[in-house]
Amino acid sequence: MRQAEITRQTAETEISVSINLDGTGRYDVKTGVGFFDHMVDQLARHSLIDITLAAKGDLHIDDHHTVEDCGIALGQALARALGDKTGIRRYGHFNLAMDDTQVACALDLSARPFLVWNLPFPTAKIGTFDTELVREFFQALATHGGITLHVDLVHGINSHHIAEATFKAVARALRMAVEQDPRMAGVLPSTKGAL
């Protein structure tokens, strides 16, 4: 059962998340940040990872703590659900086109967190959502999920499309990486003997 539940409570946020790596992409996301909810919906739908996420945060200040802490909790849930990573594909990559935008993602479930981020946004906001929070979310997800994550904007002019293409590209790469590889059943995908 490649599933996990995480509860995270701080002075700034209260978050509960559950995931199923072998799901169908079902989602129930309620964070109080509408655009972010839409992005996490995309992450679930296109990764085929079932995600239930509920967050109450200090939105009277801004969206930062809520978005970042959701990334932390989702990363922790991903790491827990993967367990010792025996039999997974480990690596994933995807180039995703969305209208004017193309985003490239490559990742490794290496347990060595690292984020390479070449994704400039042409605007500071998408509606009321700060575009800089897209990076904050993926930094937290990579750090707490133990992911080496590279995200590059190939081209794009619309901030909404750039953000959405990013979540979808990462989702598709994650889908590939977490899948069980029938040729590697019971084998850890590393020559080191540990991930």
Side-chain angles (χ1 to χ4, degrees), residues 107-178:
L107 60 83
D108 176 10
L109 301 177
S110 62
R112 296 187 305 276
F114 199 90
L115 178 66
V116 175
W117 188 260
N118 296 307
L119 199 92
F121 280 94
T123 63
K125 297 270 190 185
I126 301 169
T128 60
F129 184 81
D130 294 327
T131 53
E132 69 182 9
L133 294 182
V134 177
R135 185 188 190 284
E136 293 300 321
F137 171 78
F138 284 110
Q139 179 70 70
L141 182 75
T143 299
H144 293 270
I147 305 168
T148 300
L149 177 61
H150 292 233
V151 183
D152 295 280
L153 178 65
V154 179
H155 45 254
I157 57 174
N158 180 288
S159 290
H160 186 129
H161 295 164
I162 292 168
E164 189 164 340
T166 300
F167 276 83
K168 289 177 176 178
V170 173
R172 287 288 176 149
L174 263 179
R175 176 179 170 179
M176 182 186 299
V178 303

Side-chain angles (χ1 to χ4, degrees), residues 6-10 12-18 28-34 36-37 40 51-60 62-74 137:
I6 294 288
T7 300
R8 175 180 169 82
Q9 186 165 357
T10 71
E12 299 165 341
T13 61
E14 295 178 21
I15 297 170
S16 63
V17 60
S18 65
D28 182 8
V29 179
K30 295 178 180 69
T31 68
V33 183
F36 179 61
D37 288 358
V40 179
I51 297 176
T52 300
L53 173 63
K56 293 180 183 177
D58 53 2
L59 299 180
H60 61 286
D62 69 5
D63 299 342
H64 186 111
H65 297 142
T66 299
V67 171
E68 182 179 30
D69 286 8
C70 284
I72 291 170
L74 276 166
F137 171 78

Side-chain angles (χ1 to χ4, degrees), residues 19 22 38 46 63 71 76 109 127 154 177 187:
I19 66 170
D22 299 310
H38 178 49
H46 292 278
D63 299 342
Q76 291 171 342
L109 301 177
V154 179
V187 177

